Amino acid sequence: MAEYKRPESLKKTPSGFCPGCMHSLATKLIAEVIGEMGQANNCVHIVPVGCSTLNLAYWQGDLLGAAHGRAPAVATGFKRSNPDRLVFAYQGDGDLAAIGLAEIMGAANRGENFTVIFFNNQTYGMTGGQMAPTTLIGQKTTTTRNGRDAETTGYPMKMCELISTLEAPAFVARYALNTPKGCKDAKKAIRKAFEIQMAGKGFTFIELLGNCPTNWGLSPLKTLEYMESNTIPYFVPGVYKDKYKDEVK
Amino acid sequence: MAKVLMKGCEAIAEAAVRAGCRFFAGYPITPQNEIPEYLSWRLPEVGGVFVQGESEVASVNMVYGAAASGCRAMTSSSGPGISLKAEGISYLAGTGLPAVIVNISRGGPGLGSIQPAQQDYLQATKALGHGGFRAMVFAPATLQEAVDLTYNAWDYAERDRNPVMILMDGCLGAIMELVEFPEMKDPDRLGTKAWDLNRHEGDTRSARLLSPYFPEAILELKNTSQKKMNERWAQNDVQVEEFMTEDAEYIIVAYGISARVSKEAILRLREEGYKVGMIRPITLYPFPKESFRKLNYEQVKGFIDVELAIPAQMHDDIELEVKGRAPIYEYCRSGGLLFDDDGVYAAVKKILDGGAK
């Protein structure tokens, strides 16, 4: 019988994420995959700016801090000089889809051989819940008090769709973490992305739809329903690009 | 080794390769394009990596990533691009990673002009990014000096775990001169670096290269150690050329292309009996304060700050040492305009003859 234990990439300390926040769920999934692949001592976690920065408090393993939005550039420099390391950046939506848009598109378009895991919870959590590029139309934030208005702020940005238009990326997929099935599929996809990377087959991008109970102003349980009826219909889960469908399990 | 005729930007690029640099990321901007162009073919030839970044911001952050594994890494740009790199340079200093940043400078502010200027002195020496850190800034006046300073730049950067800047005007970047290159360093024989994320020994990896410091007292300690490092530079690392200063009544202060032009003017004025000399900072930071402190102010009647920058940017650093003991005159051009053939000679002569009061 399988034993449920703490992944070796996570320290025995509290995460620092708010109760009910799916950041801790997402990082646990990543840590489990790294452990199952025997890569705990080979992986380098590029830590960006945002709530994801809290990972540095409880991630066990090599860490490299990046400026806001620049994780894919930092990962490019590191991975190119160290092709044997498992390198992943874990970025939030403000970090990746606003200030870091050039860096993510540049790295994806060059087909850099590392993995970006994109945590999309439609808000700037760390700074107190401002509008993110992924905030849904009508969603209330501290900078859109009456709800996001497309007239003045445009529409939520779909990163999987954007990145999958590029020629180079190997694997691009999106999953929602509000159901056990979503978590299981996400974990499988993270594993596939890491395997593609370790085979040297190019850029991989996994988007994880998550929540922010604190800044959405909802109980953790209510966020699951909100995701089901609002987030998932707009950010449709699924595989957007898979270059090596038949080659890598 | 035989001397070769080479363009300034390319000489810096080859010197970097000789120094063991094996990673370069950059973005096109005039007048430094020959550096990335040269390294785009030269680095792969020696097993290195060249990346043309999507921006200056991305490029400097790639250099940050490469430096994290102990790889000698470099980026280059010019004024507007250096402003964009400010973020990454600050993160290099904050995290404690070595890298070399080359600024082949042009006219500013804003898009300014693509012609040579020395208008980035203040940015280079006072604030290369947010947070109040300093970097050593080297200013070559000949291409051989550019080669030698670039070749040695990583030794300082790695000793201090801090970025180093080579600040060279677009004139020197574009001219050709005979240079002799030092021997090729083998990156594999440069030794393991303390900050190398690959260096880990033991069962469980947990190397960390980060710039957030908690609690705040740790950051204050880091700031204090940076201050001490700056003081050590001032003690040990100043490089300066003092040219005909012993008997000089008037001293030109100039660096880079301005110093070259001034030297010609000094030789002409000396022939006419004027007692003129020059202090040429090679390290703009640390500034050669001692060269001013040891002067006999009974003998020195004045200084002439010669720069390709209006307003003159070195003036305040000179004044801090001269302390009102002699007047500081200026002869400057700016915006990408150079000195006329007789410009420095005529302007300095006018000052010496008392016509510039």
Side-chain angles (χ1 to χ4, degrees), chain A residues 19-204:
Chain A
C21 169
M22 290 175 186
H23 262 302
S24 42
L25 183 54
T27 41
K28 186 190 75 172
L29 295 176
I30 298 166
E32 282 177 356
V33 172
I34 288 167
E36 287 160 18
M37 289 176 70
Q39 290 287 334
N41 277 340
N42 189 44
C43 93
V44 176
H45 183 161
I46 313 289
V47 181
V49 175
C51 280
S52 44
T53 312
L54 292 171
N55 270 323
L56 61 89
Y58 83 122
W59 189 266
Q60 175 70 53
D62 292 351
L63 284 180
L64 179 54
H68 199 22
R70 318 296 176 225
V74 171
T76 297
F78 186 83
K79 180 76 180 191
R80 291 272 194 122
S81 324
N82 303 274
D84 297 332
R85 301 293 299 268
L86 173 66
V87 176
F88 78 95
Y90 178 78
Q91 297 182 262
D93 37 38
D95 193 76
L96 183 136
I99 196 167
L101 201 50
E103 284 75 18
I104 186 62
M105 296 307 280
N109 192 47
R110 288 190 303 271
E112 296 292 343
N113 190 39
F114 58 79
T115 304
V116 172
I117 296 172
F118 170 41
F119 187 83
N120 175 1
N121 64 353
Q122 302 104 56
T123 189
Y124 285 82
M126 177 62 87
T127 45
Q130 295 81 10
M131 181 189 72
T134 45
T135 295
L136 298 171
I137 298 300
Q139 196 170 359
K140 288 181 180 172
T141 73
T142 58
T143 49
T144 56
R145 297 179 67 165
N146 300 316
R148 181 175 184 169
D149 173 16
E151 193 78 12
T152 53
T153 62
Y155 292 85
M157 207 173 272
K158 298 176 174 178
M159 291 310 298
C160 276
E161 286 84 336
L162 269 175
I163 289 170
S164 60
T165 63
L166 301 172
E167 221 34 62
F171 183 53
V172 179
R174 175 191 291 137
Y175 300 92
L177 300 181
N178 65 328
T179 63
K181 183 177 184 311
C183 291
K184 279 177 80 175
D185 290 347
K187 191 175 161 183
K188 254 189 247 168
I190 294 166
R191 171 133 195 170
K192 176 164 173 161
F194 285 168
E195 279 173 354
I196 289 171
Q197 182 189 154
M198 292 317 282
K201 287 174 184 263
F203 184 78
T204 45

Side-chain angles (χ1 to χ4, degrees), chain B residues 83 154 183:
Chain B
S83 294
W154 278 273
E183 63 170 16

